[in-house]
């Protein structure tokens, strides 16, 4: 007998539109202009996985999170949570939500906030007490438990914001921009906290504009644009699907390229960009140990000297811009 | 630099409609409301609500009619008193209250009850004793104007048109009341009386002597009897304690309701609704809190009024408790309704100031409603300040039993329920957005 583990979240052909501002009061909706936030989104978050859900502004990330958390009803499509299809009114006790804003009571203490949100998630008695103490330790704020949250730094507030969403030990955690506006130290601390949740088996879906975080901290990446998924997979898979895994080698020459005498470059067998008048030669190299010596040899053979060599690995940033373009979205 | 600062603020003002409203429209609106109140610019001049009682006992007097007595026959005394009352009834400054059920002939006790219950502000009990009119004005001393106005009108009615010149037609065989023409004719006997008083006064004789010299025209005896407020240390304390308390109850409820918008703006509401909490629970939790806070707030204020100004809170604890709970509940619903009606805290701030100050002005929190014109008083009934103040007035001033608070409690609880339901309906948009 074969048992398959259902995905933590499975989204299939999810669609959601909003009436555009000024498009009327909803009467005669056939003719009212609609903004399509989700246009048939399909993806999966596997159990125990950390998935980055990326997209430019207006790509429908927040709408996606709201649909998953039950805060808005999709027009069509399905959402399954741990293999169970969910409706808007379905209980979501296995889900934790951490919004982008510091959604805390800043005029309460850390401990009071934790007790409040723990209670809202259905915890009570000794279990609530235990989870609050755990959260204080987890956030590194055990000694600041009785201080008002409003007096804390942005990083500390972010950590409490995160803790309030996981007190009930959800199996799936939705994080909307968890590290926005914090310093590198706090960001690192937040990802250490997320690692601890991952060790516990929590499946995490996060949205972020920090593409380096998505690349380095997440198992898989989904890139959405105009309400659709335009690419999904591991970073390497995305590279394969888009710009390829070749590294870009840029050699700075001692003089501008001449109009003639550049034939040695053609013998390297590399994809080169050589423009007379420019002082750089750019090449795409799949195996750097083989391609780079060959390129430097060709530079010497063409009577140029190498001033500097830059080897650039393809990043998620390049993949993202490749998929979504460079036009401003808002 | 200074100019730039000024310019920035002018530009910000230009973009902020709420601030425009608060800066320019609200002051004018309030000036207008108060101008209407004090100049009676809207509707009619406030009339004093009176209950009129003819105390001349016809039947008892008729028994004495056979006896040898110099006094005026009972039926004639009754007619004379009735003439005065009829004349008062025609006065433009008075509104005659008929009682419940409407009765043509009120007795003193019924009229006193009407004053105690606030149906009438003052009761005029006219009698003829010996050879002169007597009038007891059963007064509610919280209205400091009514007794003076009515006293003057009663004096005028007794001394003027309705004096015994009418004796001839009254004692006429038909026992019919005199015609208007009769009552408004010049009275030679009264003129003689006035001349005599003037002459006595000129010769510096004691006036009483003149009265005894002219027994047919003894001056009327008018006595103001404060049946409400007698012996109270400060008659207006309970009125103002309630007025101010209700107004600040509304402001606090509005501020409390604003927390809902704050939670929405910083996504706490989003987070709360993603937990096991429902919007029903959230609104009810806030409503109970605001109601409880309101009760404590009003209680603290009345305790202070008792400690410092001698208000008898402990003596009216049952009525106070029930009125405070109903008023605080209505105010809490009002605060949540306003909050759910608005999209931002800025909007709420502007709207609540306008709504609360208007309600407070019309409802009597700032100026007693009895000084307002009748149309403004009617308009005030659309505010629950007016109903709340009427309730507290019944408890502390009229000292009526709790059972008498029915209309006020009904309106306040209906407002509490209705506004809470409206708030819930408005909050649907936050659930489904």
């Amino acid at each position: 007998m074969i048992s398959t583990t259902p995905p933590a979240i499975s989204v299939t052909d999810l669609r959601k539109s909003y009436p555009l501002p000024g498009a009327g009061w909803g009467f005669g909706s056939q003719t009212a202009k609609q903004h399509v936030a989700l246009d048939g989104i399909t993806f999966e978050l596997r159990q125990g996985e950390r998935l980055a859900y990326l997209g430019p502004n207006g790509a429908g990330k927040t709408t996606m999170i709201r649909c998953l958390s039950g805060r808005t009803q999709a027009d069509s499509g399905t959402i399954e949570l741990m293999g169970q299809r969910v409706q808007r009114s379905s209980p979501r006790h296995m889900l934790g939500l951490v919004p982008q804003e510091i959604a805390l009571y800043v005029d309460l203490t850390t401990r009071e906030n934790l007790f409040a949100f723990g209670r809202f998630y259905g915890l009570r008695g000794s279990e609530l007490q235990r989870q609050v103490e755990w959260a204080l330790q987890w956030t590194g704020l055990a000694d600041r438990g009785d201080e008002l949250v409003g007096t804390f730094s942005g990083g500390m507030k972010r950590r409490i914001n995160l803790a309030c969403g996981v007190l009930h030990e959800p199996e799936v955690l939705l994080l909307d921009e968890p590290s926005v506006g914090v310093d590198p130290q706090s960001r690192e601390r937040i990802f250490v906290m997320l690692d601890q949740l991952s060790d516990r088996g929590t499946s995490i879906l996060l949205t972020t504009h920090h593409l380096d975080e998505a690349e380095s901290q997440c198992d898989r990446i989904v890139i959405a644009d105009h309400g659709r998924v335009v690419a999904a997979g591991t970073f390497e898979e995305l590279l394969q699907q888009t710009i390829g895994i070749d590294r870009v080698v840029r050699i700075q020459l001692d003089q501008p390229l001449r109009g003639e005498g550049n034939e040695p470059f053609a013998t390297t067998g590399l994809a080169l960009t050589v423009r007379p008048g420019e002082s750089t030669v750019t090449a795409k190299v799949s195996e750097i140990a083989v391609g780079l010596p060959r390129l430097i040899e060709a530079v010497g053979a063409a009577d140029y000297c190498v001033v500097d060599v830059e080897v650039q690995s393809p990043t998620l940033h390049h993949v993202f811009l490749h998929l979504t373009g460079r036009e401003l979205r808002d | 630099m200074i100019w730039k600062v000024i310019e920035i603020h002018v530009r910000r003002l230009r973009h902020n409609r709420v601030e425009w409203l608060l800066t320019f429209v609200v002051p004018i609106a309030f000036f207008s409301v108060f101008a209407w109140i004090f100049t009676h610019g809207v509707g009619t001049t406030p009339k004093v609500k009176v209950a009129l009682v003819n105390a001349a006992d016809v039947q008892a007097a008729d028994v004495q009619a056979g006896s040898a007595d110099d006094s005026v026959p009972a039926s004639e005394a009754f007619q004379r008193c009735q003439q005065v009352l009829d004349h008062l009834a025609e006065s433009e400054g008075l509104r005659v209250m008929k009682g419940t059920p409407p009765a043509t002939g009120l007795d003193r006790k019924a009229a006193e009850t009407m004053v105690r219950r606030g149906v009438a502000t003052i009761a005029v009990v006219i009698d003829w004793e010996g050879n002169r009119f007597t009038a007891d004005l059963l007064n509610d001393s919280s209205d400091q104007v009514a007794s003076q106005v009515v006293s003057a009108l009663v004096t005028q009615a007794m001394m003027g048109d309705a004096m015994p010149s009418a004796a001839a037609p009254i004692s006429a065989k038909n026992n019919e009341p005199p015609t208007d023409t009769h009552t408004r004719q010049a009275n030679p006997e009264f003129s003689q009386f006035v001349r005599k008083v003037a002459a006595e006064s000129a010769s510096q004789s004691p006036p009483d002597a003149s009265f005894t010299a002219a027994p047919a025209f003894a001056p009327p005896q008018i006595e103001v009897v404060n049946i409400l407020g007698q012996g109270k240390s400060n008659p207006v304390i309970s009125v103002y304690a309630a007025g101010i308390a209700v107004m600040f109850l509304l402001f606090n409820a509005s501020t409390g309701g604003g927390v809902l918008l704050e939670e929405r703006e910083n996504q706490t509401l989003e987070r709360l609704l993603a937990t096991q909490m429902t919007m029903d629970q959230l609104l009810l939790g806030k409503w109970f809190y605001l109601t409880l806070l309101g009760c404590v707030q009003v209680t603290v204020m009345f305790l202070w009024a008792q400690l410092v100004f001698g208000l008898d809170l402990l003596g009216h604890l049952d009525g106070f408790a029930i009125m405070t709970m109903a008023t605080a509940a209505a105010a809490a619903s009002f605060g949540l309704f306003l909050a759910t009606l608005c999209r931002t805290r800025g909007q709420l701030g502007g709207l609540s100031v306008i709504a609360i100050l208007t309600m407070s002005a019309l409802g009597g929190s700032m100026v007693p409603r009895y000084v307002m014109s009748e149309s403004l008083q009617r308009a005030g009934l659309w505010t629950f300040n007016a109903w709340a103040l009427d309730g507290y007035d019944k408890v502390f001033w009229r000292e009526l039993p709790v059972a008498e608070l029915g209309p006020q409690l009904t309106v306040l609880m209906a407002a509490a329920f209705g506004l809470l339901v409206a708030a819930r309906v408005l909050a649907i948009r936050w659930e489904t957005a």
Side-chain angles (χ1 to χ4, degrees):
Chain A
M1 192 173 165
I2 300 168
S3 84
T4 54
T5 310
I9 291 176
S10 175
V11 175
T12 308
D13 197 25
L14 206 66
R15 295 172 191 274
K16 175 72 183 175
S17 299
Y18 295 106
L20 283 172
W25 293 91
F27 301 110
S29 56
Q30 297 288 331
T31 56
K33 289 185 178 177
Q34 300 276 311
H35 166 67
V36 180
L38 303 178
D39 191 13
I41 291 272
T42 300
F43 73 93
E44 276 185 4
L45 167 68
R46 297 167 191 155
Q47 287 197 30
E49 180 183 50
R50 195 182 301 169
L51 179 74
Y53 190 87
L54 311 179
N57 292 336
K61 299 188 296 293
T62 301
T63 304
M64 187 71 241
I65 295 268
R66 296 194 82 223
C67 285
L68 291 173
S69 64
R71 293 293 303 116
T72 195
Q73 173 79 57
D75 299 334
S76 64
T78 59
I79 298 173
E80 289 183 9
L81 199 56
M82 306 302 283
Q84 306 250 318
R85 186 167 175 173
V86 293
Q87 305 295 330
R88 183 167 172 267
S89 55
S90 301
R92 284 169 163 77
H93 54 271
M94 60 181 71
L95 205 68
L97 171 67
V98 181
Q100 181 179 339
E101 301 290 326
I102 304 293
L104 300 168
Y105 294 107
V106 292
D107 41 8
L108 294 184
T109 66
T110 313
R111 197 181 296 275
E112 287 166 343
N113 268 287
L114 291 168
F115 267 106
F117 283 100
R119 186 69 195 88
F120 294 149
Y121 275 116
L123 303 179
R124 57 175 68 206
S126 60
E127 187 187 13
L128 176 58
Q129 179 77 41
R130 189 176 63 248
Q131 285 302 101
V132 168
E133 293 308 321
W134 166 81
L136 287 169
Q137 297 296 332
W138 184 56
T139 53
L141 293 169
D143 57 337
R144 311 289 293 270
D146 296 319
E147 294 180 28
L148 295 180
V149 168
T151 63
F152 288 173
S153 68
M156 293 159 80
K157 286 178 187 168
R158 282 267 158 219
R159 272 139 58 197
I160 303 164
N161 205 33
L162 180 55
C164 286
V166 299
L167 280 166
H168 60 304
E169 299 184 315
E171 292 172 75
V172 180
L173 180 61
L174 306 177
L175 291 162
D176 196 0
E177 302 268 2
S179 59
V180 69
V182 297
D183 59 25
Q185 289 82 357
S186 291
R187 194 180 300 175
E188 193 171 313
R189 175 66 194 236
I190 286 168
F191 278 99
V192 168
M193 290 163 67
L194 292 183
D195 288 340
Q196 291 169 356
L197 290 180
S198 295
D199 293 343
R200 255 177 19 182
T202 308
S203 311
I204 299 172
L205 184 148
L206 65 87
T207 72
T208 181
H209 285 295
H210 294 292
L211 299 180
D212 57 324
E213 281 176 2
E215 182 184 327
S216 62
Q217 302 286 345
C218 296
D219 304 313
R220 284 195 314 126
I221 297 158
V222 169
I223 298 178
D225 195 16
H226 299 298
R228 291 170 175 270
V229 172
V230 293
T234 61
F235 173 57
E236 287 73 23
E237 288 169 345
L238 291 183
L239 287 178
Q240 296 282 5
Q241 292 169 25
T242 55
I243 58 175
I245 58 171
D246 293 353
R247 293 176 190 182
V248 176
V249 176
R250 190 172 286 114
I251 294 183
Q252 181 78 36
L253 306 176
D254 62 336
Q255 57 183 293
L257 286 159
R258 298 182 295 272
E260 54 187 21
N262 296 329
E263 292 77 9
F265 291 116
T267 62
T268 57
L270 302 170
L272 291 172
T273 305
V274 179
R275 293 196 183 96
E278 290 186 355
S279 301
T280 55
V281 174
T282 307
K284 279 199 160 186
V285 179
S286 56
E287 290 184 54
I288 200 76
V290 176
L292 184 56
R294 199 183 295 169
L295 185 57
I296 291 172
E297 191 178 325
V299 168
D303 282 337
Y304 297 101
C305 290
V306 176
V307 175
D308 192 15
V309 176
E310 183 189 348
V311 179
Q312 194 177 58
S313 299
T315 63
L316 187 57
H317 181 81
H318 297 113
V319 174
F320 188 85
L321 289 180
H322 176 83
L323 289 168
T324 61
R326 292 177 178 274
E327 285 178 19
L328 290 173
R329 298 305 177 87
D330 48 15
Chain B
M1 289 293 182
I2 293 171
W3 172 245
K4 200 65 192 170
V5 172
I6 295 170
E7 186 189 332
I8 288 167
H9 283 284
V10 170
R11 285 180 186 279
R12 290 184 67 187
L13 178 65
R14 198 162 63 93
H15 294 303
N16 191 332
R17 289 181 193 169
V18 173
E19 207 171 325
W20 265 100
L21 210 63
L22 289 175
T23 308
F24 298 110
V25 180
V26 173
I28 290 172
F30 277 88
F31 160 71
S32 303
V33 169
F34 281 97
W36 283 331
I37 290 171
F38 287 110
T39 63
H40 313 302
V42 173
T44 55
T45 304
K47 293 184 176 183
V48 178
K49 292 187 285 186
V50 293
L52 300 178
V53 178
N54 188 338
D57 190 338
V58 181
Q59 291 175 355
D62 281 345
V63 175
Q64 299 175 343
S67 64
D69 194 340
D70 290 342
S71 61
V72 176
S75 58
E76 188 183 328
F78 182 84
Q79 288 301 327
R80 284 182 176 175
C81 292
Q82 193 59 44
Q83 263 191 305
V84 173
L85 295 180
D86 290 344
H87 185 65
L88 287 172
E90 290 170 7
S91 170
E92 288 186 356
L94 303 178
R95 178 159 32 126
V96 180
M97 308 306 290
K98 298 293 186 187
T100 310
T104 47
L106 285 171
D107 60 10
R108 183 186 178 107
K109 192 176 175 188
E112 187 174 328
T113 304
M114 287 172 71
V115 174
R116 284 193 186 282
R117 296 176 64 145
V119 177
T121 308
I122 193 165
V124 180
V125 182
I126 305 280
D127 201 356
W128 178 269
E129 289 178 1
N131 286 315
R132 66 177 177 178
F133 284 117
T134 63
D136 284 350
L137 306 185
L138 310 181
N139 183 41
D140 171 359
S141 64
S142 67
D143 188 336
Q144 295 161 351
V145 179
S147 63
Q148 296 176 35
V149 171
V150 173
S151 193
L153 288 172
V154 169
T155 306
Q156 185 193 34
M158 288 174 166
M159 298 287 287
D161 300 337
M163 282 304 285
S165 73
I170 288 168
S171 56
K173 304 75 200 165
N174 305 346
N175 214 17
E176 291 172 356
T179 63
D180 194 50
T181 317
H182 282 126
T183 55
R184 298 197 186 283
Q185 280 173 348
N187 183 342
E189 292 179 32
F190 178 63
S191 302
Q192 182 190 355
F193 166 75
V194 172
R195 281 197 297 276
K196 194 157 191 164
V197 169
E200 296 288 349
S201 178
S203 61
Q204 295 183 341
S205 301
D208 285 350
S210 71
F211 299 149
T212 49
F217 280 104
Q221 182 185 354
I222 298 175
E223 188 180 355
V224 177
V225 182
N226 285 331
I227 59 170
L228 285 171
Q230 199 77 30
K232 293 196 174 177
S233 57
N234 192 339
V236 292
I237 285 301
S238 66
V239 175
Y240 283 107
I244 299 295
V246 172
M247 185 165 70
F248 278 91
L249 205 55
L250 290 173
F251 274 119
N252 275 10
S254 157
T255 307
V259 173
L260 194 60
L261 287 171
E262 184 186 350
E263 286 172 341
R264 183 171 171 269
E265 286 168 12
N266 67 14
Q267 290 193 13
T268 307
L269 183 63
E270 190 83 358
R271 168 174 243 172
L272 290 176
L273 295 177
T275 67
Q276 294 182 10
M277 177 177 287
T278 62
M279 184 60 94
D280 291 334
Q281 292 170 323
L282 183 65
L283 282 183
L284 276 177
K286 288 181 183 297
W287 183 80
F288 277 116
Y289 165 72
L290 290 174
T291 302
L292 192 64
L293 182 69
C295 289
V296 174
Q297 182 191 12
V298 176
T299 304
V300 168
M301 182 149 178
F302 273 77
L303 276 173
W304 177 256
Q306 165 145 26
L307 289 173
V308 179
F309 299 103
L311 180 78
D312 183 17
L313 172 62
L314 297 178
H316 304 90
L317 213 48
D318 52 349
F320 167 79
I322 199 162
M323 271 310 299
T324 299
M325 276 191 279
T327 309
S333 295
F334 177 75
L336 290 175
F337 170 71
L338 279 188
T340 50
L341 194 63
C342 296
R343 284 189 298 179
T344 64
R345 276 183 288 172
Q347 278 184 352
L348 177 65
L351 183 64
S352 62
V353 166
I354 294 168
I356 294 170
L357 288 183
T358 305
M359 287 170 61
S360 299
L362 288 177
S365 281
M366 296 177 179
V367 178
R369 287 175 66 230
Y370 63 75
V371 304
M372 299 179 194
S373 68
E374 290 193 20
S375 56
L376 272 182
Q377 287 188 32
R378 277 197 300 276
L381 291 176
W382 286 98
T383 71
F384 56 72
N385 295 57
W387 292 93
L389 296 190
D390 282 352
Y392 282 111
D393 183 60
K394 282 184 173 181
V395 172
F396 286 99
W397 187 250
R398 303 184 189 288
E399 301 187 311
L400 296 174
V402 172
E404 294 288 333
L405 296 173
Q408 285 73 28
L409 293 175
T410 303
V411 169
L412 289 171
M413 293 314 292
F417 180 76
L419 289 172
L420 187 60
V421 169
R424 179 65 188 89
V425 170
L426 287 168
I428 288 174
R429 71 187 196 278
W430 291 338
E431 287 179 297
T432 57

